[in-house]
Amino acid sequence: MRLSSASPAVVPSRRPAPVPVARPAFPYDATVRVSLWVSAALIGVLFGWGAWQRRWIADDGLIVLRTVRNLLAGNGPVFNAGERVEANTSVVWTYVVYAGSWLAGPMRLEYVALVLALVLSVAGVVLLMLGTGRLYAPSLLGRRAIMLPAGALVYIAVPPARDFATSGLESGLALAYLGLLWWMMVCWSQALRSRPCGRVFIGALAFVAGCSVLVRPELALIGGLALIMMLVAARGWRQRTLIVVAGGLLPVGYEIFRMGYYGLLFPGTALAKDAAGDKWPKGLLYLSNFNRPYAMWVPVVLLLALGLVLLTTRARPWWIRHTPPPGYGRWARAVQSPAAVVAFIVISGLLQGLYWIRQGGDFMHGRVLLVPLFCLLAPVAVVPVVFPDGTRFSRETGYWLAGAVAALWLAVAGWSLWAANSPGMGDDATRVTYTGIVDERRFYAQATGHAHPLTAADYLDYPRMRAVLVALNNTPEGSLLLPSGNYNQWDLVPVIPPKQPPDPNKPQKGPHAVFFTNLGMLGMNVGLDIRVLDQIGLANPLAAHTARLQHGRIGHDKNLFPDWVIADGPWVKWYPGVPGYLDDKWVAQAVAALQCPATQAVLNSVRSPMTPHRFLSNLLHSYEFTKYRIDRVPLYELIRCGLEIPESSGTPYTGLPASGP
């Protein structure tokens, strides 16, 4: 049978391709959206106001500013010019303050650090709340609800959280970093049910996660886990390559710089405090010290109960599995999900807490447990209160559940009000007891007589500080200053007289060094040409390479004898130039011990001029330099190195030009 030319051709019918409908990126009801932003704004204002009421700059915060001064002066990222020691833990915070000070121009560095710390602290809490609000948003689509602050309210109620929001330390930066990472991870986890993440977002998230180790070294546990999750969920080798490059380029590049420039595998502060060590009993004592004044177990119980009630009221749980786009396997669906991200932040908080408890905590009340607390509160930073609609539950049951949520929230708010006005450590706040823990802000406020010690000038009222300026001005020929038992004076060790008498027509400017624990206030009140050293090892490479004392105060559990400082400099090494309470034989033994080849290699790694050869040598030997330790007792160090013990202590000091020690 033939079809006529007029007959229409038979064409197989095809179904039209389905048009993908992208769900909105922010599926908030208007009430939810408004209440979330109002809650975030309210908490931000309360936190900022509370932090401002307790504003201060810590002595450790001033340490950062000394490094920034050297950067601005062209001496590099060092604490003392001519000695490459990384005295700051947070790389990012150092350069954020440096950039801020460069932009602020004539503004004092202390005020730059204060403003940056406060702004970043508030931003971190707000980002945390926005991330949690986005986490709950899918289950609230089409339902009437309001968002109330819960975990965020608990955080800002804890007094140490407000203390360290303006301390000049990297605490505010850490909050901003974690808040941003949490918000981005929540967005990433919801991509399978809305719209896939683009390359720019994936690269940005990987970059943020990779920067964790530069914000603080222990935050690598959080950023590294985020990168692992992204690699597991990635589609194809191109996306995995993007994640590896974006996440690893900056931290790996800086690690190479650190190994070549400083000759270490990690910051000098970690070496000084032996961050790989463990002191579980002291860590548990630190946890108890943080819990006792504020009954921290109360909000933990309340928030757990609140979370359980919320699970029963969710019309569409955020852990439900959605049909993913093509190319996503079972593991990808499990990892790139809101449930996995919640587990990620909770596990991260627990790991951070365990790390610091193992490390022994800190000497500052509550400081190092703020990050673990911040992470653990993230899933309940805000909570939804759903109005009964009679769809999933009867109105009677709905009102009962809403009432339970409201009652628990009121209990959290009541505890927060009580904790915010807590006296904290009470009478022990400013005393160094057997625990070694103090309320750092109150301690320095009392010791300086300033309610808000902010600038280096405020710290001149700290014991010994004005006296050090007087001693430096009175010794233009140079001297080493050692702390005396009298708070109004310093013990001076004169410089070895030169072979040729100085020209009386030229102003004398000899070398100066000060040996003292409080590096920040001292370093910011003296010139950059004056070496500032400590016995703990934060700025002293010799002290950093000593062993940790078994029962020392946390953060101060290295103690280098002043004999080493006299030996390691152009100072008189015999009586009566050496103070009477020191043994000149110990000084002579320290001089001999410094000739140990391995010790000389470590000192050369930070004192020799930086050349390509030096950089490469440091890079290759950084592992050996990092693990190297000396004995703090000069005699034992001589025995360890196999060196001869000197027979005499040296030549008596006459004050006249000499040929040498």
Side-chain angles (χ1 to χ4, degrees):
M1 177 180 175
R2 295 179 61 185
L3 295 175
S4 65
S5 59
S7 301
V10 178
V11 180
S13 63
R14 294 182 181 179
R15 293 182 179 178
V19 179
V21 179
R23 299 188 60 178
F26 296 91
Y28 296 113
D29 180 83
T31 307
V32 175
R33 184 187 301 112
V34 171
S35 62
L36 174 61
W37 280 100
V38 169
S39 296
L42 178 62
I43 291 298
V45 170
L46 287 176
F47 189 35
W49 177 78
W52 181 257
Q53 294 298 314
R54 305 167 78 96
R55 63 192 180 278
W56 71 304
I57 297 291
D59 177 69
D60 283 25
L62 295 176
I63 293 178
V64 178
L65 301 187
R66 166 89 173 191
T67 301
V68 173
R69 282 178 65 196
N70 274 298
L71 278 168
L72 293 171
N75 297 327
V78 298
F79 190 81
N80 289 310
E83 195 167 61
R84 295 180 297 275
V85 174
E86 191 176 14
N88 303 341
T89 302
S90 175
V91 176
V92 176
W93 179 238
T94 300
Y95 287 97
V96 164
V97 176
Y98 170 67
S101 62
W102 184 78
L103 293 173
M107 182 183 291
R108 291 186 65 108
L109 286 177
E110 295 93 325
Y111 296 146
V112 172
L114 176 72
V115 172
L116 287 173
L118 181 59
V119 170
L120 289 171
S121 296
V122 174
V125 174
V126 171
L127 283 170
L128 190 79
M129 298 175 69
L130 295 180
T132 306
R134 178 159 186 148
L135 177 73
Y136 287 110
S139 65
L140 300 176
L141 186 61
R143 307 181 73 190
R144 291 192 308 136
I146 59 172
M147 288 286 192
L148 294 178
L153 191 61
V154 169
Y155 183 81
I156 70 170
V158 179
R162 303 195 300 279
D163 287 348
F164 290 102
T166 61
S167 62
L169 297 167
E170 70 283 348
S171 302
L173 174 67
L175 295 191
Y177 170 80
L178 292 172
L180 177 62
L181 181 63
W182 166 245
W183 180 83
M184 295 184 75
M185 288 294 288
V186 170
C187 295
W188 174 77
S189 71
Q190 295 175 341
L192 296 186
R193 63 168 184 80
S194 57
R195 56 171 66 101
C197 297
R199 291 182 180 179
V200 174
F201 182 86
I202 292 293
L205 177 55
F207 177 80
V208 170
C211 286
S212 58
V213 69
L214 302 179
V215 176
R216 276 196 66 92
E218 69 275 3
L219 293 185
L221 296 173
I222 300 178
L225 182 56
L227 288 173
I228 292 173
M229 293 175 65
M230 294 181 68
L231 287 172
V232 172
R235 290 185 298 170
W237 64 269
R238 290 185 178 179
Q239 196 172 91
R240 288 188 174 90
T241 302
L242 173 63
I243 293 170
V244 170
V245 172
L249 187 62
L250 185 60
V252 170
Y254 186 82
E255 180 61 18
I256 294 173
F257 168 77
R258 171 182 286 146
M259 293 166 66
Y261 190 77
Y262 298 108
L264 295 176
L265 297 178
F266 40 71
T269 53
L271 176 66
K273 298 183 179 182
D274 270 350
D278 64 272
K279 288 193 174 183
W280 288 100
K282 285 187 175 291
L284 294 173
L285 187 64
Y286 186 80
L287 176 63
S288 174
N289 178 269
F290 181 54
N291 168 72
R292 189 183 304 112
Y294 320 112
M296 292 300 299
W297 61 271
V298 173
V300 170
V301 172
L302 292 175
L303 290 175
L304 282 175
L306 187 58
L308 292 175
V309 173
L310 289 174
L311 290 180
T312 65
T313 64
R314 306 184 68 82
R316 193 174 191 181
W318 42 254
W319 63 85
I320 193 171
R321 291 185 177 181
H322 299 270
T323 303
Y328 282 88
R330 182 172 59 182
W331 281 105
R333 292 198 305 268
V335 170
Q336 192 172 350
S337 66
V341 169
V342 170
F344 151 76
I345 199 67
V346 171
I347 291 173
S348 295
L350 293 174
L351 287 176
Q352 291 293 305
L354 286 174
Y355 169 81
W356 283 112
I357 293 173
R358 178 184 182 274
Q359 173 68 9
D362 193 41
F363 64 94
M364 301 185 195
H365 170 63
R367 177 199 170 197
V368 297
L369 293 181
L370 293 176
V371 164
L373 178 65
F374 195 73
C375 293
L376 292 173
L377 293 174
V380 288
V382 292
V383 294
V385 178
V386 181
F387 299 128
D389 53 11
T391 54
R392 186 180 179 193
F393 300 101
S394 66
R395 288 191 176 274
E396 181 180 355
T397 303
Y399 280 118
W400 183 88
L401 290 172
V405 172
L408 288 169
W409 182 85
L410 287 174
V412 169
W415 173 90
S416 300
L417 183 63
W418 169 80
N421 295 280
S422 168
M425 293 179 63
D427 294 337
D428 289 339
T430 59
R431 295 187 302 173
V432 183
T433 62
Y434 75 99
T435 65
I437 305 169
V438 297
D439 184 328
E440 194 82 346
R441 184 188 64 84
R442 289 174 61 184
F443 175 86
Y444 282 118
Q446 176 178 292
T448 62
H450 296 274
H452 304 288
L454 291 173
T455 65
D458 292 336
Y459 279 94
L460 286 175
D461 294 319
Y462 189 81
R464 294 193 175 96
M465 283 301 102
R466 293 192 185 277
V468 76
L469 300 183
V470 173
L472 291 172
N473 289 332
N474 291 340
T475 55
E477 70 282 358
S479 63
L480 167 66
L481 276 61
L482 302 177
S484 169
N486 186 336
Y487 284 171
N488 294 320
Q489 70 181 43
W490 288 75
D491 292 330
L492 305 180
V493 180
V495 68
I496 296 175
K499 296 181 179 180
Q500 299 295 331
D503 187 348
N505 297 321
K506 294 183 180 179
Q508 289 186 328
K509 185 62 176 177
H512 283 97
V514 187
F515 185 60
F516 194 52
T517 306
N518 300 81
L519 290 173
M521 63 180 75
L522 184 60
M524 284 297 289
N525 277 304
V526 300
L528 296 179
D529 58 331
I530 296 173
R531 292 186 69 208
V532 179
L533 303 169
D534 65 317
Q535 67 267 43
I536 301 170
L538 296 176
N540 188 341
L542 275 175
H545 286 278
T546 59
R548 192 179 187 184
L549 300 178
Q550 184 64 28
H551 301 289
R553 184 188 180 196
I554 293 297
H556 299 72
D557 42 8
K558 290 188 177 182
N559 191 0
L560 188 72
F561 296 117
D563 310 74
W564 288 94
V565 183
I566 298 174
D568 185 35
W571 322 114
V572 170
K573 299 169 176 56
W574 45 85
Y575 292 134
V578 175
Y581 53 80
L582 298 180
D583 189 340
D584 63 342
K585 292 183 179 179
W586 274 51
V587 176
Q589 291 168 0
V591 172
L594 286 173
Q595 304 309 310
C596 180
T599 303
Q600 283 292 309
V602 169
L603 294 178
N604 288 335
S605 71
V606 298
R607 293 177 179 173
S608 296
M610 178 49 60
T611 61
H613 179 270
R614 169 52 56 193
F615 187 92
L616 182 60
S617 176
N618 285 357
L619 185 68
L620 296 176
H621 297 93
S622 57
Y623 174 74
E624 300 172 24
F625 296 155
T626 302
K627 69 176 184 177
Y628 183 71
R629 296 293 182 273
I630 66 173
D631 199 298
R632 57 196 290 266
V633 178
L635 177 61
Y636 298 161
E637 175 64 9
L638 287 170
I639 296 173
R640 186 191 70 84
C641 288
L643 299 175
E644 294 184 3
I645 301 173
E647 298 180 357
S648 62
S649 59
T651 306
Y653 174 60
T654 63
L656 299 176
S659 58

